Amino acid sequence: GQNIDQPTEMTATEGAIVQINCTYQTSGFNGLFWYQQHAGEAPTFLSYNVLDGLEEKGRFSSFLSRSKGYSYLLLKELQMKDSASYLCAVKDSNYQLIWGAGTKLIIKP
Amino acid sequence: GAVVSQHPSRVICKSGTSVKIECRSLDFQATTMFWYRQFPKKSLMLMATSNEGSKATYEQGVEKDKFLINHASLTLSTLTVTSAHPEDSSFYICSAISSRGGNSPLHFGNGTRLTVT
């Protein structure tokens, strides 16, 4: 079966750095997405990785290792507004998006 | 600005009535639209995939006669919850994509919170 694993919840301190991991087992791979979702709102797109390596976009970076079936989202200089759920999703060989359950990130002052 | 508009954002209806939710792509043609359902503190659950001009593909366990999807044009898809019951109360989210391949991200509507009394 297809599976996406990410931690259920993480806590970090304002101003610090946090890394949210995502491991996947899917039938084929056509890219990995990270989305941010604030409570009661729809998800918003953060990043896309299809090749191995690190993609940096401001305070957020996303890393992919296809051989390990592994990705992480790195958030630097954490702000209180970063408190949200972070969803990892993989596009399989049929271009279907397989969603992780999401990681709830709690930022403390 | 928003590229996908979903309406209404909130709706309260009585048990047994039907509710229609609209999803519009505002500045691109959506070859494919997706409908999701999300329960509190849970991830997105894909209900169906809708391609313009063809029948929607429903995920296993989703009743196609209860959740009617119409993708009449490249910019509009509708989800109708028929004969709604309290257990249908949930957060429904649509998303649209211009191309299934490559790095085209999903653009999400703002979601519709349905409460069935």
Side-chain angles (χ1 to χ4, degrees):
Chain A
Q2 310 208 85
N3 197 48
I4 309 278
D5 286 315
Q6 47 181 136
T8 305
E9 186 174 296
M10 299 182 70
T11 303
T13 305
E14 190 177 16
I17 300 173
V18 72
Q19 177 175 312
I20 303 174
N21 295 326
C22 171
T23 58
Y24 62 90
Q25 301 92 38
T26 57
S27 55
F29 178 83
N30 279 299
L32 185 145
F33 296 81
W34 284 97
Y35 284 83
Q36 179 191 60
Q37 185 178 23
H38 286 100
E41 298 179 11
T44 55
F45 171 74
L46 288 179
S47 68
Y48 170 78
N49 293 71
V50 68
L51 299 176
D52 291 348
L54 189 68
E55 294 279 342
E56 297 187 76
K57 200 183 282 186
R59 293 190 298 116
F60 293 6
S61 303
S62 57
F63 171 84
L64 174 68
S65 170
R66 287 171 296 170
S67 62
K68 294 181 180 178
Y70 167 70
S71 171
Y72 67 72
L73 180 69
L74 191 72
L75 294 79
K76 296 182 279 191
E77 301 167 18
L78 286 170
Q79 301 174 10
M80 298 304 293
K81 67 178 182 180
D82 298 329
S83 292
S85 286
Y86 291 85
L87 305 171
C88 173
V90 173
K91 228 180 227 186
D92 69 8
S93 55
N94 293 320
Y95 295 97
Q96 296 274 55
L97 265 184
I98 313 300
W99 292 90
T103 299
K104 183 179 180 181
L105 178 62
I106 300 168
I107 310 295
K108 294 186 175 178
Chain B
V3 296
V4 174
S5 172
Q6 185 173 343
H7 178 80
S9 57
R10 292 179 185 273
V11 58
I12 300 172
C13 70
K14 291 186 176 180
S15 188
T17 62
S18 295
V19 174
K20 180 185 281 189
I21 303 170
E22 290 189 351
C23 181
R24 292 179 185 275
S25 59
L26 299 181
D27 56 3
F28 67 98
Q29 292 186 327
T31 56
T32 306
M33 287 185 169
F34 303 89
W35 287 96
Y36 296 87
R37 185 174 180 178
Q38 188 172 33
F39 294 100
K41 300 182 181 180
K42 299 290 184 183
S43 188
L44 301 170
M45 183 191 81
L46 180 65
M47 299 175 65
T49 301
S50 168
N51 293 300
E52 185 267 339
S54 63
K55 289 184 178 180
T57 303
Y58 289 81
E59 296 300 303
Q60 192 172 9
V62 178
E63 300 175 59
K64 59 182 69 176
D65 293 331
K66 181 167 185 62
F67 298 100
L68 300 178
I69 291 172
N70 187 338
H71 193 156
S73 75
L74 282 171
T75 59
L76 174 64
S77 177
T78 60
L79 167 67
T80 302
V81 183
T82 62
S83 187
H85 291 285
E87 57 265 31
D88 298 326
S89 298
S90 191
F91 191 49
Y92 293 87
I93 309 173
C94 74
S95 67
I97 196 168
S98 59
S99 170
R100 298 199 73 178
N103 65 347
S104 300
L106 290 179
H107 297 287
F108 286 90
N110 287 332
T112 298
R113 187 160 302 284
L114 171 64
T115 303
V116 184
T117 60

